[in-house]
Amino acid sequence: MADNVGNKDAKNFAEDIPFANEGSFHVKGASNLDWGMKDRLSRIFNPKTGKTVMLAFDHGYFMGPTSGLERLDLLIPKLANDADCLMGTRGAIRSSVPATYNKAIALRASSGSSILEDDLSHESMVVDIEEAIKMNASAMAIQTFIGADGQKETIEAVNQAVNLGSRYSIPTMGVVAVGKEMERTTKFFLLATRMLAEFGVQIVKTYYCEDFEKVASACPVPLVVAGGKKVPEKDALTLAYRSIQGGAAGVDMGRNIFQSQNPEAMIQAVGKVVHEGFTDLEAYEFYLDVTNVTVS
Ligand code: 5RP
């Protein structure tokens, strides 16, 4: 291991130079992967735009039924059409999402703690690879807590998923968690996203931060940005816009969609930003237009 003392901070991210190993494939860092991986990544990332709108509704795996997710069976049918990929647990998807939707699935494959505990950072890979195969998962999502108590076990879990996923050509999405003691600094996200990419994940889910362009530039696989806690619709669309402008390959949004006053209009507005080049203001106007028509 390199000597930590005297380590110089990275500073030359060449943000204005496109990724060099793109080849003819539309997903960053994936041009050397095999057919099965590319097929699954193409289900997540639209081949026409290279981007994705993931709908995250896996919150129940550690917090039970939260606002907006009380009835998955009623919610998901309203939103699935406008999502490229559904991120959920096997229990939620098997019970409440019709298989006929034929949507890309980012299967939540790690867990280990609940909101009844103070420290949520202990997770391991709990879903067998056979389950991911049987559910035709397009990716397995594993939460990692870099810099927290659970760092070692979650690093092991994400590496386990990468090993098993490589065997069957199922991509792994490493999810950067920010626990209560972890700062949301550029330095932290540079570290965590790059570590996950070096472990071999094919997708990294992270949070937006200052100098996000640097984080995206230093990460050789696509970043999808988490929505985070509910904010006004306009602000959530600004988050999506800045993420895409900063080099993200999409968003993986939960509460800012399903807790919106109009979840259907909101996911469509997010899609306008991600796939159609709308600015945040244009997308917000779209949201208002649709909402005026559909909400009494
Ligand atoms: C947590 C997750 C969740 O799916 C995600 O963070 C929830 O989405 P949002 O923050 O947009 O509600 O990956 O580990």
Side-chain angles (χ1 to χ4, degrees), residues 272-292:
K272 296 283 178 200
V273 171
V274 171
H275 290 304
E276 295 183 37
F278 276 36
T279 64
D280 43 350
L281 288 182
E282 288 167 341
Y284 186 55
E285 277 165 22
F286 170 88
Y287 170 81
L288 291 178
D289 278 353
V290 176
T291 298
N292 285 338

Side-chain angles (χ1 to χ4, degrees), residues 3 25 51 54 72 123 182 208 252:
D3 187 352
F25 193 59
K51 302 211 166 44
M54 274 190 204
L72 292 169
E123 291 201 4
M182 286 173 280
Y208 185 77
D252 185 7

Side-chain angles (χ1 to χ4, degrees), residues 227-263:
K229 70 174 185 198
K230 174 76 175 74
V231 292
E233 280 77 3
K234 190 162 180 273
D235 296 348
L237 291 167
T238 298
L239 170 76
Y241 178 67
R242 289 194 179 146
S243 302
I244 297 298
Q245 293 300 306
V251 296
D252 185 7
M253 212 173 245
R255 288 163 287 180
N256 279 293
I257 291 175
F258 60 72
Q259 290 178 353
S260 165
Q261 192 198 351
N262 187 341

Side-chain angles (χ1 to χ4, degrees), residues 40-59:
R40 290 188 170 90
L41 289 168
S42 298
R43 286 171 57 77
I44 298 173
F45 296 97
N46 181 326
K48 290 200 185 100
T49 64
K51 302 211 166 44
T52 190
V53 174
M54 274 190 204
L55 174 67
F57 55 94
D58 58 335
H59 306 57

Side-chain angles (χ1 to χ4, degrees), residues 112-170:
S113 40
S114 79
I115 46 166
L116 298 178
E117 297 155 64
D118 254 5
D119 179 4
L120 293 171
S121 73
H122 298 276
E123 291 201 4
S124 50
M125 182 173 175
V126 292
V127 173
D128 290 342
I129 189 72
E130 289 80 4
E131 282 279 80
I133 296 167
K134 283 172 71 176
M135 295 193 68
N136 199 23
S138 295
M140 297 176 287
I142 304 281
Q143 185 108 315
T144 53
F145 291 83
I146 310 289
D149 267 3
Q151 169 169 290
K152 184 167 184 296
E153 67 207 69
T154 58
I155 286 178
E156 282 170 2
V158 78
N159 277 286
Q160 184 187 1
V162 171
N163 289 334
L164 292 166
S166 301
R167 219 182 270 172
Y168 301 102
S169 294
I170 301 183

